[in-house]
């Protein structure tokens, strides 16, 4: 039996033409359109201004598990970064939507459960703590749950320099320092801020559910 990727399309205000083109992209990609956020695996939202970014944040809070894709015609790096911080898993140029949806639909057909929720720790056990709250070894890597000033984030170790473990890394002023040779990474984005590592750390989305912190190990 064919398994269709269920997609929910959110529309920008008065944006009927854009909606038609996104719907066409989804249909061309063998996706099934659904109006129900609870059954959608993918949420498609327009991104053109600050109001759209705020809606991404709201939709993400209501739908922690679905893959959220913001599609845009606006080449504004700051807007893209703020949309990612608001909870978008991916920002895609509107022209690239068909290719992306086709890839996701193909992957979904071969494994609908590909998006996995990995438990990190109980919320109660780490209440009030700062720094590295949990470190879970997983096939993806070292899943580090980190709390700075804002919400907990998950960065994936080990260190890209020489694969040093980051389980005991120092966290200070929003920066994580590798205990091996001192590479530094911004904890809210995983971005490298000091070498010798020459790349940053992957960041995964954290969800609080059933009294636990989980990380969404999306592809
Ligand atoms: S292993 Fe992290 S800086 Fe070398």
């Amino acid at each position: 039996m064919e398994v269709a990727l269920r997609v929910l399309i959110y529309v920008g205000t008065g944006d009927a033409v854009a909606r038609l083109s996104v719907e066409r992209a989804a249909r061309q990609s063998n996706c099934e359109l659904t109006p129900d956020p609870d059954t959608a695996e993918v949420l498609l939202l327009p991104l053109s201004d600050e109001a759209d970014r705020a809606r991404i944040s709201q939709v993400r809070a209501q739908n922690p598990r679905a893959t959220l894709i913001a599609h845009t015609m606006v080449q504004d790096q700051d807007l893209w970064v703020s949309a990612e911080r608001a909870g978008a898993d991916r920002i895609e140029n509107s022209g690239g939507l068909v290719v992306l949806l086709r890839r996701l639909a193909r992957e979904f057909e071969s494994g609908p459960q590909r998006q996995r929720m990995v438990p990190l720790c109980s919320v109660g056990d780490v209440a009030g703590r700062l720094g590295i709250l949990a470190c879970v070894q997983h096939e993806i890597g070292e899943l580090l749950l980190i709390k700075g000033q804002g919400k907990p984030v998950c960065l994936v170790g080990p260190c890209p320099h020489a694969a040093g473990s980051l389980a005991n890394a120092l966290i200070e002023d929003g920066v994580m320092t590798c205990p091996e040779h001192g590479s530094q990474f911004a904890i809210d984005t995983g971005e490298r801020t000091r070498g010798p590592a020459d790349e940053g750390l992957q960041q995964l989305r954290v969800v609080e559910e059933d009294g636990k912190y989980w990380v969404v190990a999306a592809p």
Side-chain angles (χ1 to χ4, degrees), residues 159 161-164 166 178 180-183 196-197:
C159 178
H161 172 234
L166 295 169
C178 174
E180 295 293 330
H181 313 101
S183 289

Side-chain angles (χ1 to χ4, degrees), residues 119-153:
L120 296 179
C121 65
S122 139
V123 174
D125 286 351
V126 296
R129 280 177 44 194
L130 294 175
I132 298 179
L133 307 184
C135 176
V136 172
Q137 297 299 330
H138 190 272
E139 64 192 51
I140 301 169
E142 204 172 44
L143 303 178
L144 301 151
L145 181 69
I146 302 168
K147 175 99 169 66
Q149 293 305 313
K151 290 182 180 171
V153 297

Side-chain angles (χ1 to χ4, degrees), residues 33 52 109 165 182 189-190 198 219:
L33 299 182
D52 288 338
E109 276 175 35
S165 170
T189 61
D198 55 10

